[in-house]
Amino acid sequence: MSTALKHTPLHPVHIEFGAKMVDFGGWDMPVAYGSQLEEHHAVRQDAGMFDVSHMLNIDVNGPDAEVFLKRLLANDVSKLAVPGKALYSCMLNPEGGVIDDLIVYFFSSDQWRVVVNAGTADKDLAWMQHVAQADGFDVVLTPRRDLAMVAVQGPNARSKLWETRPGWEAETHALPVFTGAFVDDDTLVARTGYTGEDGFEVVLPATQVEAFWRDLAANGVRACGLGARDTLRLEAGMNLYGQEMDESVNPLVSGLAWTISLKDTERAFIGREALEAAAADRTLVGVKLLERGVMRGHMKVRTGQGEGELTSGSMSPTMGVSIGMARVPKGAQPGDPIQVEIRGKWLPAEVVKMPFVRNGKIIA
């Protein structure tokens, strides 16, 4: 018996806008509203918006909130001292595998927010509650399904948001990257994203999101689906949970060593012992195909150091060639020739430094 798909508050609007809907982690989500290619280019060249309300905001409040998060996450939340500042981190199991990658916001010592992925949200919340109970932390975890979330991304995203909601500009104009500000009691505007472009992610009451979406559309912000979101994040060299990492893979072999903080030798975060004992004999690299073809996840890769596997792959709309990420034996360097097996043939490719594209410019 199949389980009914979940709907975000914008679901009726997606249908009205003519979106092609797909099952994404148990949610009925738009993959595209027409041309995925045009949606991708809209974000690189102008401004696009994504419904990311399927992701879950979890408020973490209480006297032990900070010490709880220091135990829970591989990155160290004590780095956060300015209200609204955010941090990217992995949440690990005791074996060092990635339960999820997430963003945590600091508001005060006893008020924080964690934003987790849609497909892992229930698992994440159960794990967080287990850790809180097992270690006796005085915290309250509140999943905020009363909130919706819209990402507005692209070189003109910020100006178009301010044109749409002029009252928000004063609070958000000077926001540094990876920082959020409340423009209303329950509306958080954060300078974050998943596309390699500037812009905002806006968390607001679900009751207000439809009007917000329609107003942005009327102001020339293009509705974009998950298809464009995936090619944009791949060009930006950003990991996707379930492809670049999961519970069987640690951050050291997922290009995420920079998200692990070992500076505080007394901070016994979950998974630390396993990471310190792990041999990081593999690494994640960018790959660019040198012949016609399209790389996809799980294709085999040959390097001078041995075999590996693509974790993600697609045609890059910005570059006009196929790009991907691959987990390969350590030692592979940008510029190294490699081969990718596509339909039984080994095609030439090269290792490239990520990101491939940033702020509309080809880097790789």
Side-chain angles (χ1 to χ4, degrees):
M1 183 176 175
S2 61
T3 304
L5 295 177
K6 300 173 187 175
H7 293 171
T8 75
L10 284 169
H11 188 268
V13 182
H14 299 320
I15 302 300
E16 179 188 327
F17 276 45
K20 179 184 177 182
M21 307 297 287
V22 297
D23 178 353
F24 183 79
W27 291 80
D28 197 26
M29 296 296 294
V31 68
Y33 298 84
S35 168
Q36 178 180 324
L37 197 62
E38 289 178 8
E39 292 169 18
H40 179 106
H41 290 317
V43 174
R44 285 280 178 253
Q45 298 166 12
D46 185 18
M49 58 184 173
F50 303 84
D51 178 14
V52 287
S53 305
H54 56 321
M55 299 179 71
L56 181 60
N57 286 257
I58 304 171
D59 286 344
V60 182
N61 298 331
D64 290 344
E66 182 172 347
V67 290
F68 167 69
L69 291 168
K70 290 176 74 170
R71 168 70 173 151
L72 187 75
L73 304 179
N75 214 337
D76 190 352
V77 298
S78 64
K79 297 175 183 177
L80 303 177
V82 178
K85 191 66 179 170
L87 186 72
Y88 176 69
S89 181
C90 291
M91 180 166 65
L92 308 180
N93 58 30
E95 294 73 40
V98 182
I99 294 174
D100 199 10
D101 65 320
L102 51 83
I103 292 178
V104 56
Y105 288 90
F106 164 75
F107 303 123
S108 68
S109 62
D110 58 357
Q111 291 184 309
W112 304 71
R113 177 173 289 175
V114 173
V115 184
V116 301
N117 285 304
T120 56
D122 292 342
K123 175 186 72 171
D124 291 354
L125 185 58
W127 174 249
M128 292 169 71
Q129 290 169 334
H130 167 74
V131 172
Q133 292 165 3
D135 291 353
F137 290 110
D138 187 359
V139 293
V140 177
L141 305 175
T142 307
R144 299 295 305 275
R145 281 295 178 202
D146 58 317
L147 300 175
M149 193 169 171
V150 175
V152 188
Q153 303 281 290
N156 298 325
R158 295 204 299 156
S159 60
K160 288 195 172 184
L161 176 72
W162 294 326
E163 291 167 9
T164 305
R165 291 290 184 270
W168 294 1
E169 184 172 1
E171 292 292 330
T172 62
H173 191 277
L175 270 183
V177 174
F178 244 68
T179 307
F182 281 100
V183 296
D184 206 342
D185 286 346
D186 247 347
T187 301
L188 178 71
V189 179
R191 199 169 170 202
T192 52
Y194 192 52
T195 63
E197 298 295 328
D198 205 351
F200 292 121
E201 290 180 311
V202 181
V203 182
L204 72 171
T207 54
Q208 299 173 17
V209 72
E210 182 174 331
F212 179 55
W213 184 273
R214 292 184 186 279
D215 290 347
L216 286 170
N219 209 29
V221 180
R222 182 163 185 147
C224 301
L226 294 174
R229 188 169 165 83
D230 190 50
T231 52
L232 288 160
R233 72 90 193 169
L234 181 56
E235 288 185 347
M238 295 179 175
N239 289 19
L240 176 62
Y241 189 84
Q243 291 185 215
E244 276 65 55
M245 71 285 198
D246 56 36
E247 289 197 47
S248 68
V249 181
N250 75 53
L252 299 175
V253 296
S254 302
L256 295 173
W258 62 275
T259 71
I260 302 165
S261 180
L262 301 173
K263 189 174 180 180
D264 180 356
T265 56
E266 300 299 314
R267 190 174 69 93
F269 64 84
I270 297 168
R272 178 170 187 151
E273 289 184 6
L275 290 186
E276 290 181 329
D281 56 349
R282 303 181 82 73
T283 188
L284 193 72
V285 299
V287 178
K288 180 166 69 175
L289 195 64
L290 299 180
E291 287 191 4
R292 291 181 63 181
V294 180
M295 298 186 291
R296 300 292 184 194
H298 303 298
M299 288 180 172
K300 291 181 181 178
V301 176
R302 286 176 179 165
T303 77
Q305 294 75 31
E307 289 199 352
E309 183 181 76
L310 286 167
T311 56
S312 290
S314 183
M315 181 62 68
S316 163
T318 305
M319 300 169 64
V321 298
S322 185
I323 60 172
M325 298 185 199
R327 187 169 291 113
V328 298
K330 202 167 184 179
Q333 299 294 324
D336 285 357
I338 60 172
Q339 292 179 308
V340 180
E341 186 181 33
I342 301 179
R343 295 181 180 177
K345 295 182 179 179
W346 289 96
L347 300 184
E350 68 174 343
V351 176
V352 296
K353 186 178 180 180
M354 295 187 284
F356 301 91
V357 179
R358 181 60 54 89
N359 293 326
K361 293 184 173 58
I362 297 172
I363 299 173

